[in-house]
Amino acid sequence: MLEGEVIRVSGPVVHAGGMRGSRMYDVVRVGDGALTGEVIRLDQEVAVIQVYEDTTGLKTGEVVENTGEPLRVELGPGLLASIFDGVQRPLPLLVKKSGDFISRGITISALDHTRRWEFEPSVQVGAVVGPGDVLGTVREFNLDHRVMVPPDLHGTVEEVAEGALTVDDAAVRLDGDRPVRMSQAWPVRKGRPYGRKLDPTIPLLTGQRIFDTLFPIAKGGTAMIPGGFGTGKTVSEQTLARWADAHVVVYIGCGERGNEMTDVLTEFPELLDPRTGRPLLERTIMIANTSNMPVAAREASIYTGITMAEYYRDQGYDVALLADSTSRWGEALREVSGRLEEMPGEEGYPAYLAARLAAFYERAGRTACLGADKRTGSITVVGAVSPPGGDFSEPITQNTLRIVGTFWALDTNLAYRRHFPSVSWIKSYSLYLESLRDWFTTSVSSDWGRMRDRTMFLLQKEAELQEIVQLVGPDALPESEKAILEITRMVREDFLQQSAYSASDAYCPIVKQFMMLKAILSFYDAAVAAMGRGIPLRQVLALPQKNEIARMKEQLDADAIGDLIGAIEAAASTLEAER
Amino acid sequence: MKPLVTREYRTVSYVSGPLIFIERPMRISYGEVVSIILPDGEERTGQVLDISREVAVVQVYEGTSRVDDRDTRVRFTGDPPRIDVSIEMLGRIFDGLGRPRDGKPPVLPEEQPDIGGMPINPYARDKPADFVQTGVSAIDGLNTLVRGQKLPIFSGAGLPANRLAAQITRQSRVLDEEGNFAVVFAAMGITWQEASFFMQEFESTGALERVIFFLNLADDPTIERIATPRCALTAAEHLAYTHDLHVLVIMTDMTNYCEALREISTAREEVPGRRGYPGYMYTDLSSLYERAGRITGRRGSITQVPILTMPDDDITHPVPDLTGYITEGQIVLSRDLFRRGIDPPIDVLPSLSRLMSLGIGPGKTREDHRNVSDQVYASYAYGRDLRRLVAIVGEEALTDLDRAYLTFAEQFENQFVSQRGENRSIEQTLGIGWDLLAGLPVDELKRIGPEMIQRYHPALREETP
């Protein structure tokens, strides 16, 4: 094993001499405390290392060992419901080993190597198998965890195991006495191979009206949520983690608050998945690298997360990866880059920021997986971005914007007004709208596209009218435009606002979303028709059905809203002008 | 592991700002404490920032005036910076590095922890849950403080942040538990007058013996401010986790701390981030703020109320901005409200407590707390929007409803926010909220369910509780 010595320490960056022969991104153990690090630059015989642990106390002259391996993660049954740090060390085991505070130089493997899993093989002796082929399954909570041939192996099955196996046991043995183990390892910085990418034509439903109805995201798509502090990035990410219709959710707390992770940790075992009725924790993998944990591990955490996501995608599942926040990841890059004395790009970020961001988001996608059974899987990536001062012109926001398909812009003014989710309907957009239109038309209603477009038109119109109101006051507007203001107020308050803390409204099924919108728009149509008959707007607004609309989200289901729509039309058509 | 021989060098080769460079250091450890002995015998303290085979960079807490490059000796201790902590520290005053400054003897240490601390394992954290009643309506009612939270006050030059902090300290209590609390007060670069205000304040309420002071005043060495909050938090952790106390840590003024950080970064010729602050300021600040919290299975807790001054009242300035990204909310003071005599001048719109929902509701405060808070917020925000409109078109152009909102906003500021040192229970706070909401038509109270309105609306409820 290659050995050198520490010659310089500057924060998380360590220079080691005598390291000729090291490769980029080799994992090294630094110093007497065996801190884990990764080679990020080679210069003559000096290797520059980013260290994933606090370097306080490290001396020049201490030994640096190169393991010769890249940074890998363990992939196998037992990942679900786990919580890891940025380099896949399970945090509960860290508590056992080092107490309530994280001490250094501890290596723990991600999977439990003693636990036995009931393996049900699906191949027989003599079968010829190749990369991605499913050998059998184990039950991981509610999920059939598919044990697959790793991407670099193929051959003829000579022996098949069955029954209780550990992750180290061979599930099958291929010719030439080559075992295929129950678990695999994969380097985090390299995307796992897949068959081919597929078009994003299926939405990832989130139960959030502003997302699903106005700015939908596709399975395999990418989205960003930028917003200043207090606009609800973390709440949005957590809401998605709760309600997104994915089989597996990977939640990366990257450089964020410790108390927020605790919140997720204590809530997810109790919350139930609305589709399966099982605790949400059972489909979730969490990575917690809080802001006070070492900065280099923050950089790694994003890759650790997406590699685990790819593993479940390869099994044919839909995975949602939520990263909160990618700005902290970018800042980690900047910090390390600064210590390397690299020439800075914009705002001190390294020039390769855009390339790294693009490479990360490109690992999302809906794919045909490797393997003979032609299964498909997807990874949807939603990254929160924390722009300094809430200013969207900063590099991370701008570079991410160039890559992602959905832009959910959080608005400070909406947040101040406690309009949550504070997603701006003016600034946000979804590029998946057209490719998803077919799905919504077939699965929700043929009217869906028209409804959605009308709503956006009205909201846009409202923004224009508000400018006029600011200048001349509301009384100067004609009745027809006042009606638009009233309707869009309903859209905002009774449709777009959705409390993440409400028991009945935190999740809103897509059909109900559609019906709610339909009810509001039919109120508008009825109002316009009535006004056409000379009935004043105020009289329409006094209809009791208006209050019913306000009750829709908390108290009515889709059928009841259907009845309400009938009632609105009936009531409005029988209105007679008051004298 | 302490080395047998302390290593002393006379190889100072370069001095710049707060930094000195020592040539040809041997087996120096990153982050260790050094003693700098000036030619006249004065001893100063420093810390290693960067080491290589050729040179070690040391930041000197007390500054580098009169350091020379011939006779100054530098002694490496091999140890990270530590502080002597003990329960006996309560009631005492220390300097920014944790040395007594009240003329009394040093404390007998129960422990000597590293002031850098270690990150709490997120898995070991316990959820902040207990409602802390500060007696300040704008906080209790709308931006509730929860034990284990870090909730900063964003102030502006000349705004009464200190008075608010003192009021919070004086009045804070957890509803069903009293007694086992302590306050750790870390002053960074504030004036003697400000520090003495706090001391008198604590003295007059008899709380002085429950307080530890760490004072780095305006005329004390600036670089020492880097260590001050770390000393304070280390002492707080000792009280919380060894002595089971609930500790409130007040750190003022974080802007001065960040300026010290910038000074060092500039001296090191690092690539600057926004406004010259170092790119790692987020990480550095989080290593302080994230030391707030509760730990599963331990009885004590650490709650932080950092105070910072927004330069030019600019909330997007890097210091408030990065703080806001780490802390669980913020209480923002407004110059406009201050001018209009609102005391405390808390602007509730940009203020926020992220952990509020953990501390309120049935069994903690009251079942209608969340709804009242949401409704008051929304109505006040709307009222404030109308003010802008009124400025253009005049009040006559408004509908009756809008005029009701204007009145609501006015009364909200004068009656709900403004309380001039009064200590209000949460019941009183919510009561005032309801009284104000009663000025609006019941139909407008969209954020409150019909049952709650029946039960609490002053005009509708059957009997007054």
Side-chain angles (χ1 to χ4, degrees):
Chain A
M1 196 184 290
L2 202 56
E3 259 189 30
E5 61 168 318
V6 174
I7 58 172
R8 179 169 180 206
V9 185
S10 172
V13 173
V14 169
H15 295 234
M19 297 287 284
R20 192 177 288 278
S22 294
R23 287 172 303 184
M24 285 292 274
Y25 299 111
D26 275 353
V27 169
V28 294
R29 307 260 175 248
V30 179
D32 304 342
L35 312 178
T36 306
E38 198 181 14
V39 176
I40 52 169
R41 177 189 278 178
L42 294 169
D43 179 4
Q44 306 289 340
E45 46 95 51
V46 175
V48 181
I49 297 157
Q50 61 174 357
V51 181
Y52 296 132
E53 303 178 68
D54 183 13
T55 52
T56 303
L58 202 61
K59 297 188 185 70
T60 50
E62 285 187 38
V63 176
V64 176
E65 274 181 21
N66 188 332
T67 62
E69 302 268 345
L71 183 66
R72 287 169 195 262
V73 289
E74 276 192 300
L75 303 169
L79 292 176
L80 295 183
S82 298
I83 171 163
F84 301 108
D85 74 353
V87 288
Q88 217 199 10
R89 294 185 299 178
L91 290 173
L93 290 181
L94 267 182
V95 173
K96 274 192 194 148
K97 275 204 164 177
S98 81
D100 296 338
F101 296 87
I102 297 178
S103 52
R104 298 175 290 161
I106 301 171
T107 40
I108 310 178
S109 61
L111 297 174
D112 182 349
H113 287 249
T114 56
R115 175 162 177 191
R116 290 185 176 274
W117 299 87
E118 205 57 38
F119 177 65
E120 282 179 37
S122 58
V123 287
Q124 270 136 28
V125 173
V128 176
V129 293
D133 283 344
V134 176
L135 301 173
T137 56
V138 299
R139 194 81 180 152
E140 189 178 9
F141 297 113
N142 205 33
L143 196 87
D144 279 326
H145 187 112
R146 302 187 173 119
V147 178
M148 299 171 291
V149 181
D152 49 357
L153 220 59
H154 55 87
T156 313
V157 176
E158 289 197 332
E159 193 187 317
V160 178
E162 202 171 336
L165 304 179
T166 68
V167 289
D168 295 316
D169 290 333
V172 303
R173 233 166 250 288
L174 301 182
D175 54 294
D177 196 27
R178 291 174 300 158
V180 180
R181 295 193 309 135
M182 294 277 287
S183 65
Q184 341 181 338
W186 192 264
V188 296
R189 295 189 190 275
K190 188 173 157 194
R192 283 174 62 88
Y194 50 83
R196 65 188 173 84
K197 285 217 170 168
L198 305 172
D199 284 335
T201 52
I202 306 167
L204 180 85
L205 295 179
T206 64
Q208 308 305 303
R209 289 184 287 269
I210 184 134
F211 295 158
D212 292 352
T213 300
L214 292 192
F215 310 107
I217 183 171
K219 281 188 172 138
T222 51
M224 76 184 285
I225 313 182
F229 61 81
T231 50
K233 285 181 302 298
T234 300
V235 175
S236 298
E237 289 275 9
Q238 290 183 1
T239 311
L240 292 173
R242 277 181 208 145
W243 310 126
D245 68 334
H247 298 106
V248 174
V249 171
V250 179
Y251 189 93
I252 307 173
C254 175
E256 288 289 317
R257 305 175 180 90
N259 280 335
E260 274 168 2
M261 291 312 296
T262 314
D263 213 16
V264 178
L265 277 171
T266 45
E267 255 180 24
F268 273 37
E270 291 160 19
L271 287 170
L272 300 183
D273 183 341
R275 280 160 296 264
T276 61
R278 309 277 304 175
L280 282 173
L281 188 70
E282 295 183 357
R283 66 166 199 178
T284 311
I285 302 172
M286 266 181 283
I287 296 179
N289 207 83
T290 55
S291 54
N292 56 338
M293 285 159 78
V295 67
R298 200 189 297 168
E299 196 267 336
S301 64
I302 292 275
Y303 296 104
T304 304
I306 198 149
T307 310
M308 292 194 277
E310 284 173 337
Y311 175 66
Y312 282 93
R313 172 203 68 190
D314 292 348
Q315 293 177 38
Y317 292 115
D318 293 319
V319 185
L321 179 132
L322 307 163
D324 182 19
S325 132
T326 56
S327 291
R328 306 300 164 224
W329 170 78
E331 281 162 14
L333 275 186
R334 173 168 72 181
E335 185 169 342
V336 172
S337 162
R339 305 264 187 189
L340 292 178
E341 289 158 15
E342 289 175 337
M343 185 70 84
E346 210 180 340
E347 288 193 20
Y349 287 102
Y352 45 78
L353 173 74
R356 292 277 174 91
L357 273 170
F360 166 69
Y361 278 100
E362 237 355 71
R363 286 172 78 169
R366 195 162 79 89
T367 55
C369 306
L370 293 181
D373 61 354
K374 301 272 180 255
R375 58 187 187 275
T376 61
S378 72
I379 299 179
T380 313
V381 173
V382 180
V385 175
S386 325
D391 171 13
F392 287 1
S393 69
E394 59 92 38
I396 305 240
T397 313
Q398 285 305 315
N399 285 314
T400 311
L401 208 49
R402 279 158 48 195
I403 313 158
V404 296
T406 304
F407 176 52
W408 290 322
L410 300 184
D411 189 295
T412 314
N413 283 324
L414 289 176
Y416 283 1
R417 223 169 290 164
R418 296 303 189 263
H419 174 110
F420 287 115
S422 64
V423 178
S424 159
W425 47 91
I426 302 296
K427 286 187 214 145
S428 304
Y429 61 78
S430 166
L431 301 179
Y432 302 111
L433 215 49
E434 287 315 310
S435 58
L436 295 176
R437 208 170 273 262
D438 277 352
W439 187 93
F440 280 108
T441 306
T442 2
S443 311
V444 183
S445 162
S446 54
D447 223 13
W448 182 86
R450 206 177 57 85
M451 289 279 177
R452 191 248 166 220
D453 294 347
R454 267 189 89 190
T455 311
M456 282 309 290
F457 173 80
L458 286 172
L459 287 170
Q460 185 64 47
K461 187 80 189 162
E462 182 200 28
E464 290 166 21
L465 292 177
Q466 286 294 3
E467 282 179 24
I468 299 175
V469 170
Q470 291 291 332
L471 290 177
V472 296
D475 280 345
L477 294 181
E479 289 270 286
S480 63
E481 293 188 335
K482 277 188 200 153
I484 292 183
L485 289 185
E486 286 296 335
I487 291 302
T488 47
R489 185 172 168 193
M490 283 170 153
V491 172
R492 284 187 284 113
E493 291 182 0
D494 303 330
F495 184 76
L496 295 180
Q497 281 184 13
Q498 187 171 4
S499 167
Y501 303 108
S502 156
S504 52
D505 195 41
Y507 177 84
C508 183
I510 186 72
V511 175
K512 182 177 169 185
Q513 295 185 22
F514 172 76
M515 292 305 283
M516 286 173 73
L517 202 55
K518 191 170 172 181
I520 295 173
L521 290 177
S522 41
F523 192 88
Y524 177 58
D525 290 338
V528 170
M531 288 187 322
R533 289 186 282 118
I535 296 166
L537 175 65
R538 116 190 102 71
Q539 216 180 320
V540 182
L541 294 177
L543 285 175
Q545 283 78 16
K546 181 166 176 268
N547 288 337
E548 286 296 291
I549 285 179
R551 287 178 55 234
M552 285 192 303
K553 53 182 168 188
E554 294 283 353
Q555 292 166 18
L556 303 185
D557 62 8
D559 289 341
I561 298 173
D563 297 342
L564 173 63
I565 293 171
I568 290 171
E569 282 159 4
S573 61
T574 53
L575 268 185
E576 279 180 33
E578 286 168 2
R579 281 157 209 284
Chain B
M1 195 171 56
K2 278 200 172 176
L4 294 175
V5 212
T6 47
R7 291 139 307 145
E8 213 173 271
Y9 292 81
R10 274 179 199 255
T11 51
V12 173
S13 66
Y14 178 83
V15 183
S16 162
L19 304 181
I20 58 176
F21 289 57
I22 295 113
E23 281 188 342
R24 297 180 306 279
M26 295 286 289
R27 294 195 63 84
I28 308 295
S29 65
Y30 180 73
E32 77 175 88
V33 168
V34 297
S35 300
I36 298 105
I37 301 126
L38 265 49
D40 61 6
E42 185 190 335
E43 195 170 326
R44 295 185 187 169
T45 310
Q47 191 180 3
V48 175
L49 285 188
D50 195 322
I51 48 169
S52 64
R53 279 190 292 209
E54 298 78 34
V55 70
V57 182
V58 170
Q59 65 179 10
V60 185
Y61 288 130
E62 294 93 336
T64 50
S65 62
R66 292 184 294 116
V67 170
D68 74 344
D69 55 3
R70 196 185 58 206
D71 296 328
T72 297
R73 288 173 295 150
V74 178
R75 188 188 300 143
F76 290 84
T77 62
D79 234 13
R82 291 177 187 280
I83 177 178
D84 294 348
V85 291
S86 155
I87 187 89
E88 302 298 326
M89 293 172 93
L90 286 170
R92 298 281 311 268
I93 302 171
F94 300 87
D95 72 359
L97 290 174
R99 299 171 296 214
R101 90 179 261 167
D102 51 6
K104 295 182 196 160
V107 292
L108 214 56
E110 291 169 4
E111 264 187 293
Q112 292 178 299
D114 174 355
I115 65 166
M118 284 189 296
I120 302 177
N121 186 323
Y123 190 78
R125 276 182 189 271
D126 198 358
K127 206 157 134 171
D130 303 317
F131 166 67
V132 180
Q133 180 173 297
T134 64
V136 179
S137 291
I139 298 178
D140 292 351
L142 303 179
N143 298 290
T144 315
L145 177 67
V146 179
R147 201 178 255 174
Q149 185 175 11
K150 39 196 180 294
L151 189 64
I153 300 174
F154 287 10
S155 178
L159 297 184
N162 290 343
R163 215 158 61 219
L164 177 59
Q167 190 178 359
I168 292 174
T169 317
R170 185 172 67 231
Q171 297 177 171
S172 286
R173 52 183 45 80
V174 171
L175 284 182
D176 54 354
E177 204 178 334
E178 311 218 344
N180 55 342
F181 77 99
V183 176
V184 174
F185 183 86
M188 290 155 278
I190 65 171
T191 59
W192 171 252
Q193 200 187 343
E194 288 172 289
S196 118
F197 164 78
F198 277 103
M199 265 186 245
Q200 284 166 12
E201 184 64 38
F202 293 140
E203 202 167 4
S204 67
T205 53
L208 205 56
E209 71 274 16
R210 309 297 299 167
V211 185
I212 309 179
F213 284 94
F214 289 89
L215 298 185
N216 167 286
L217 299 179
D219 54 351
D220 287 334
T222 43
I223 304 307
E224 197 178 280
R225 286 166 205 167
I226 301 292
T228 309
R230 296 188 161 81
C231 291
L233 287 163
T234 308
E237 280 167 1
H238 181 73
L239 297 182
Y241 304 134
T242 307
H243 294 284
D244 293 342
L245 296 181
H246 295 295
V247 188
L248 176 68
V249 183
I250 295 177
M251 302 191 284
T252 180
D253 178 327
M254 291 308 291
T255 308
N256 294 336
Y257 170 85
C258 291
E259 263 152 25
L261 209 59
R262 177 164 68 178
E263 192 178 331
I264 293 169
S265 172
T266 320
R268 293 182 70 185
E269 295 171 9
E270 290 171 334
V271 178
R274 282 205 307 147
R275 302 222 184 168
Y277 291 97
Y280 50 79
M281 194 158 87
Y282 176 83
T283 308
D284 188 277
L285 284 174
S286 67
S287 72
L288 302 177
Y289 296 143
E290 279 291 329
R291 289 170 82 171
R294 296 168 70 214
I295 293 179
T296 314
R298 303 201 191 202
R299 288 183 40 215
S301 67
I302 296 181
T303 310
Q304 286 184 11
V305 178
I307 299 171
L308 59 86
T309 306
M310 298 183 281
D312 198 24
D313 295 351
D314 176 11
I315 199 171
T316 67
H317 183 277
V319 177
D321 192 50
L322 294 180
T323 298
Y325 274 122
I326 305 165
T327 54
E328 285 124 1
Q330 64 278 337
I331 301 295
V332 183
L333 302 189
S334 146
R335 193 165 302 278
D336 179 43
L337 293 179
F338 178 62
R339 275 198 210 109
R340 285 173 24 215
I342 310 290
D343 179 40
I346 299 177
D347 185 356
V348 298
L349 294 191
S351 299
L352 171 74
S353 164
R354 290 162 192 275
L355 302 182
M356 179 167 176
S357 53
L358 300 180
I360 63 170
K364 290 172 178 164
T365 54
R366 219 168 71 179
E367 53 177 351
D368 58 331
H369 192 154
R370 163 61 66 190
N371 303 76
V372 170
S373 153
D374 284 353
Q375 186 63 57
V376 166
Y377 249 116
S379 308
Y380 176 61
Y382 185 66
R384 280 259 296 251
D385 273 357
L386 286 173
R387 277 190 197 159
R388 256 184 309 172
L389 190 60
V390 167
I392 300 163
V393 299
E395 211 172 319
E396 300 74 41
L398 296 186
T399 61
D400 288 346
L401 179 62
D402 283 352
R403 267 195 285 273
Y405 272 108
L406 268 187
T407 316
F408 176 84
E410 200 67 34
Q411 289 177 336
F412 171 77
E413 286 165 1
N414 288 317
Q415 296 170 25
F416 191 93
V417 177
S418 193
Q419 61 185 81
R420 305 184 190 287
E422 183 191 343
N423 187 2
R424 292 184 188 154
S425 72
I426 183 64
E427 295 284 338
Q428 284 172 308
T429 293
L430 293 175
I432 297 171
W434 272 111
D435 289 345
L436 296 179
L437 288 175
L440 297 172
V442 177
D443 287 354
E444 286 295 304
L445 306 183
K446 286 194 175 186
R447 313 235 174 172
I448 309 179
E451 319 85 61
M452 298 280 181
I453 291 185
Q454 278 303 326
R455 207 167 303 154
Y456 294 104
H457 195 290
L460 297 175
R461 63 175 177 227
E462 286 91 38
E463 74 237 41
T464 23

